[in-house]
């Protein structure tokens, strides 16, 4: 069982579809993240949940909607996406306290293709 | 100021050679610098990390060199192997931030 599990691994969706990405972490961490990875671009932070509260929304379009029901699960709900949203979506977790922060632990991502 | 620059974009090294990837930053508040390794079809995995109170950290064949005054740090892979072929990302964060800032990545190919 890997530390951070993402499903599905691949997703093809039309621009009018609604789908959700799922992430589960088994590391006991208290913070979870969504990153977007596009070719030849730095990893882009989308959302951060710290103690289940969203603490950062990096100017992400409203067609992406995160949900964090507990500290182990994170979802990314998708609707009316655009072709330029095609990318690898990575979930990560870390342990955050007032004095320190552990490194990010990533899942293997969901390869999303919007047609 | 939040940007981390990384070079080269791609690197080809012969087996047994030394691979060197360089990163530079502007934000002097950054105090933690990890390197991540990503194989095709996988997520990035932490390789090695350094804090600015040391100038060098070595773990096996992997070494980070850190130059605080120049605001630069680099990854050296000694005795490079074909299995090291992957994309490498440097990153930085300050202790009060939520966001790890990543470099754009270096695609390393080690020829057998």
């Amino acid at each position: 069982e890997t530390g951070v599990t993402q499903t599905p691994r691949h997703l093809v969706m039309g621009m009018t579809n609604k789908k959700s990405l799922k992430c589960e972490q088994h590391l006991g961490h208290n913070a979870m993240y969504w990153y977007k990875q596009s070719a030849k671009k730095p990893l882009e932070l989308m959302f951060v949940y710290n103690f289940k509260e969203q603490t950062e929304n990096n100017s992400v379009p409203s067609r992406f909607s995160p949900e964090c029901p507990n500290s182990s699960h994170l979802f990314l709900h998708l609707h009316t996406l655009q072709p330029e949203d095609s990318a690898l979506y990575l979930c990560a977790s870390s342990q955050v306290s007032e004095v320190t922060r552990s490194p990010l632990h990533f899942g293997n991502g969901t390869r999303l293709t919007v047609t | 100021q939040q940007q981390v620059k990384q070079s080269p974009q791609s690197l080809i090294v012969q087996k047994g050679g030394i691979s060197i990837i360089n990163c530079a930053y502007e934000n002097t508040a950054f105090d933690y610098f990890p390197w991540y390794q990503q194989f095709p079809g996988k997520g990035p995995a932490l390789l090695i990390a350094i804090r600015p109170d040391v100038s060098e950290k070595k773990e096996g064949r992997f070494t980070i060199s850190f130059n605080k005054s120049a605001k630069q740090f680099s990854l050296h892979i000694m005795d490079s192997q074909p299995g090291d072929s992957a994309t490498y990302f440097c990153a930085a964060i300050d202790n009060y931030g939520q966001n790890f800032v990543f470099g754009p990545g270096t695609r390393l190919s080690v020829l057998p």
Side-chain angles (χ1 to χ4, degrees):
Chain A
E1 183 84 46
T2 56
V4 180
T5 304
Q6 289 187 245
T7 54
R9 290 299 311 278
H10 302 273
L11 178 63
V12 179
M13 59 186 289
M15 293 169 58
T16 59
N17 290 159
K18 289 185 180 181
K19 297 286 184 183
S20 296
L21 310 184
K22 179 183 176 181
C23 177
E24 183 175 358
Q25 60 100 357
H26 309 276
L27 300 169
H29 289 164
N30 59 10
M32 297 188 75
Y33 309 74
W34 280 116
Y35 279 86
K36 177 182 179 182
Q37 186 175 35
S38 304
K40 298 183 180 180
K41 292 178 67 176
L43 283 161
E44 300 173 56
L45 177 68
M46 300 176 71
F47 301 103
V48 180
Y49 277 84
N50 198 339
F51 300 98
K52 298 187 298 179
E53 293 184 4
Q54 185 176 317
T55 58
E56 185 149 341
N57 175 338
N58 229 18
S59 302
V60 179
S62 59
R63 57 185 183 269
F64 295 92
S65 175
E67 179 189 359
C68 187
N70 55 60
S71 59
S72 299
H73 294 86
L74 185 65
F75 296 89
L76 187 62
H77 304 299
L78 316 171
H79 67 96
T80 60
L81 294 190
Q82 304 298 310
E84 60 265 28
D85 297 324
S86 298
L88 181 69
Y89 288 85
L90 291 162
C91 174
S93 70
S94 71
Q95 185 67 20
V96 177
S97 72
E98 290 185 2
V99 296
T100 190
R101 175 183 296 100
S102 75
L104 293 170
H105 294 256
F106 286 92
N108 287 327
T110 295
R111 173 68 63 186
L112 173 67
T113 303
V114 181
T115 60
Chain B
Q1 194 178 18
Q2 282 293 93
Q3 195 178 20
V4 174
K5 297 179 180 179
Q6 182 173 349
S7 63
Q9 186 176 352
S10 62
L11 180 61
I12 299 175
V13 174
Q14 292 288 339
K15 179 183 176 181
I18 302 174
S19 304
I20 301 175
I21 304 171
N22 300 300
C23 286
Y25 63 96
E26 291 294 328
N27 187 348
T28 55
F30 287 150
D31 65 353
Y32 182 69
F33 302 88
W35 284 88
Y36 285 83
Q37 178 189 55
Q38 185 176 25
F39 293 105
K42 300 288 187 181
L46 178 68
L47 186 64
I48 186 173
I50 196 169
R51 293 194 182 277
D53 52 344
V54 297
S55 60
E56 186 175 282
K57 183 174 182 180
K58 184 176 181 179
E59 290 185 2
R61 296 184 295 108
F62 301 92
T63 300
I64 301 179
S65 297
F66 189 85
N67 186 329
K68 187 174 182 179
S69 60
K71 291 183 284 187
Q72 295 174 349
F73 57 110
S74 59
L75 176 69
H76 292 64
I77 306 175
M78 312 300 288
D79 187 26
S80 298
Q81 299 296 312
D84 297 331
S85 298
T87 300
Y88 293 82
F89 297 92
C90 60
I93 193 169
D94 66 79
N95 203 38
Y96 303 98
Q98 294 282 351
N99 188 8
F100 281 83
V101 181
F102 285 86
T106 296
R107 179 171 290 184
L108 172 66
S109 297
V110 181
L111 303 179

